[in-house]
Amino acid sequence: MMYGAPPEFPRATRSPTIILLVSGLTGLLGFLVGFFAGLGTGETSAAPAPRVTVTVEQPAEPTGSQPPAIATTGPPATTPPATSAPPGAPAGNRTLVVGVDIQPGTYRTAGPAAGQPVCYWARLKSTTARASDIIAADMPQGAATVTIAPTDKAFQTGGCAEWTRA
């Protein structure tokens, strides 16, 4: 317990010059710490993005009156034939570019491929698989029919049996 008035401590508040000097040095120190701590976190010069060239060969025209079929097994159309799908990926996932890999028209499938509970198809406004680019999509458990319009940019399918032109 203390008796009497508290002792008088020296205070810097009596000198405005010292207050300005200390606050200025504190601000400068804060700036330098922030500058050096942030050094290296931002990219000053980004490396150029890698370029990928994809070559798609068109198969010879079928000679019979049977319309061509779209096989959903094998590697996706956007990868070279030497590579396969990553392990664990559903068989037959692929994105077909309209007018290049698939022509506009009506196509049918018997439903999911063997061992698949459902299959997936989507008509897309672009070749990316963003939700905003989906025109129409479905996950049928049985036979399905899809009409690909000439204005569609891509058709995506996965886990479906072979698609045939109707």
Side-chain angles (χ1 to χ4, degrees):
M1 176 177 247
M2 228 172 155
Y3 296 100
E8 183 74 26
F9 293 106
R11 300 177 189 245
T13 57
R14 295 186 184 172
S15 174
T17 308
I18 292 176
I19 293 172
L20 276 172
L21 181 64
V22 170
S23 63
L25 288 174
T26 305
L28 180 63
L29 181 65
F31 170 77
L32 290 175
V33 167
F35 177 77
F36 286 115
L39 217 68
T41 58
E43 295 197 22
T44 55
S45 62
R51 299 184 108 189
V52 177
T53 303
V54 178
T55 304
V56 179
E57 296 180 14
Q58 294 290 346
E61 291 292 322
T63 56
S65 61
Q66 184 86 359
I70 303 171
T72 57
T73 58
T78 56
T79 60
T83 62
S84 61
N93 281 352
R94 53 190 303 188
T95 300
L96 306 166
V97 178
V98 176
V100 176
D101 301 321
I102 188 171
Q103 298 305 316
T106 301
Y107 293 86
R108 291 190 179 136
T109 184
Q116 300 288 328
V118 295
C119 71
Y120 168 78
W121 65 262
R123 295 172 44 221
L124 304 172
K125 291 189 243 181
S126 73
T127 56
T128 60
R130 293 186 306 233
S132 61
D133 292 333
I134 296 174
I135 299 169
D138 195 10
M139 294 181 73
Q141 295 179 351
T145 303
V146 176
T147 300
I148 300 171
T151 55
D152 295 354
K153 297 295 181 198
F155 177 71
Q156 190 175 51
T157 182
C160 297
E162 186 175 292
W163 287 93
T164 56
R165 194 158 189 170

